[in-house]
Amino acid sequence: VSMDKPVVVYADAKLITGATVAFWALEYLGHNDVRFLNGGIEEWETKGKALKTGKEKLISVNFKANVVKNRIASTDEVVKIAKGEIRDVTLIDARTEKENKGDDIRSLRGGCIPNTTTNISHVDTYHVETGTIFSPDGLGMLFGKLDKNKRTIAYCQTGTRSTLLYLELRLMGFKDTANYDDS
């Protein structure tokens, strides 16, 4: 991966978070031109775009990370939010409503982090069958009441599903988005 060239991340429809994890990780590592292929490889093929089937040897390059620290929320930061010591932050739970309420427990405890602003399940932000994220209008219905100028942190259980919200928030113009990878 070269810092001089755009990087396009994609997955098939069922593995959308595989692509969004890569998107977030590359942005966190400082790549300034990461792109997401909405709808993945299936959408590419549906549009009649060509695919190469042969092997291609790429030129070896050194990737020098330039970590963008504000793109990750630390456990210390989230604990301070939970305790009310940091207040002017939007904290979004990207898990299902049942997980958020504690009815579906997949870890040591159920429920959500104290002072969570809202619960917007990642599966409610894209077309599951096609792997395409909603249009800006569709995303606006979900995220439209949130302040784009506030620090906005998405979390889930493992820091994976929340990367989809991270991508969507970035696409919508949120200024200071982060993923809580230690979720």
Side-chain angles (χ1 to χ4, degrees):
V1 173
S2 171
M3 289 290 211
D4 301 335
K5 294 182 180 178
V7 175
V8 178
V9 297
Y10 65 91
D12 66 33
K14 292 180 175 54
L15 300 172
I16 189 171
T17 56
T20 60
V21 167
F23 181 91
W24 169 74
L26 285 164
E27 283 211 335
Y28 170 68
L29 293 172
H31 201 292
N32 62 3
D33 195 359
V34 185
R35 302 171 189 192
F36 174 77
L37 182 58
N38 196 17
I41 201 72
E42 292 96 347
E43 181 69 11
W44 182 265
E45 290 178 306
T46 298
K47 299 268 183 180
K49 304 289 184 176
L51 290 174
K52 289 184 179 181
T53 56
K55 292 182 181 179
E56 186 175 333
K57 177 123 172 102
L58 300 175
I59 298 169
S60 179
V61 296
N62 288 323
F63 180 85
K64 179 156 174 51
N66 184 21
V67 172
V68 182
K69 292 180 181 180
N70 71 323
R71 293 198 172 138
I72 191 168
S74 68
T75 297
D76 183 55
E77 179 182 14
V78 174
V79 166
K80 287 179 180 176
I81 294 166
K83 290 181 176 180
E85 296 170 12
I86 299 176
R87 295 176 188 260
D88 200 29
V89 174
T90 300
L91 189 59
I92 305 172
D93 184 349
R95 300 171 307 147
T96 66
E97 184 179 354
K98 284 185 175 186
E99 288 174 280
N100 177 269
K101 290 182 175 180
D103 296 334
D104 179 3
I105 300 172
R106 302 180 187 188
S107 58
L108 294 176
R109 290 180 283 286
C112 64
I113 295 172
N115 294 317
T116 293
T117 308
T118 189
N119 171 227
I120 301 172
S121 175
H122 80 294
V123 295
D124 294 335
T125 67
Y126 75 105
H127 301 281
V128 177
E129 58 286 340
T130 64
T132 55
I133 59 175
F134 290 162
S135 68
D137 288 341
L139 292 174
M141 299 284 288
L142 297 169
F143 299 103
K145 293 182 181 177
L146 302 176
D147 186 345
K148 291 182 179 183
N149 295 309
K150 273 187 174 181
R151 177 151 175 81
T152 304
I153 301 167
Y155 76 91
C156 57
Q157 181 183 337
T158 63
T160 300
R161 294 176 279 175
S162 51
T163 62
L164 177 57
L165 270 62
Y166 169 88
L167 166 70
E168 293 161 343
L169 292 164
R170 296 272 293 134
L171 290 172
M172 292 183 60
F174 280 71
K175 307 290 185 237
D176 186 8
T177 46
N179 180 39
Y180 179 36
D181 191 46
D182 288 343
S183 301

